[in-house]
Amino acid sequence: MKKTYKIEVDCANCANKMEEAAKKTEGVKDCTVNFMALKMIVEFEDGADEKSVMKAVLKNCKKVEDDCEIEI
């Protein structure tokens, strides 16, 4: 299942770092961050609990970009 989230990120490089961090999160099949639209599209693994996966995504993204925000 794919879901789109609104994000706040300051630059394209930071958006790229967030995308890579999200892709490495358990439960995420694929992720795309669109810096211009300020959107993160996450495709979840089958059977993944999206709320807990997104909490982990936010935690991993904050490791690379500590002021990022994702509306979960």
Side-chain angles (χ1 to χ4, degrees):
M1 168 175 55
K2 282 187 183 181
K3 198 155 183 188
T4 303
Y5 298 90
K6 214 174 160 185
I7 62 167
E8 285 189 35
V9 63
D10 298 331
C11 67
N13 187 43
C14 299
N16 190 44
K17 289 179 184 177
M18 287 176 62
E19 182 177 300
E20 291 304 313
K23 284 181 179 180
K24 294 177 183 173
T25 305
E26 189 174 334
V28 174
K29 189 174 186 178
D30 195 23
C31 178
T32 305
V33 173
N34 183 326
F35 171 67
M36 296 301 287
L38 294 177
K39 296 205 182 291
M40 174 184 275
I41 301 165
V42 179
E43 184 176 356
F44 297 95
E45 303 256 342
D46 291 337
D49 175 38
E50 61 186 74
K51 285 192 184 251
S52 62
V53 170
M54 286 309 296
K55 285 181 183 177
V57 166
L58 180 58
K59 185 178 177 182
N60 288 342
C61 286
K62 283 195 176 282
K63 288 179 186 173
V64 295
E65 187 55 39
D66 63 349
D67 64 347
C68 75
E69 290 298 325
I70 303 171
E71 284 187 25
I72 299 175

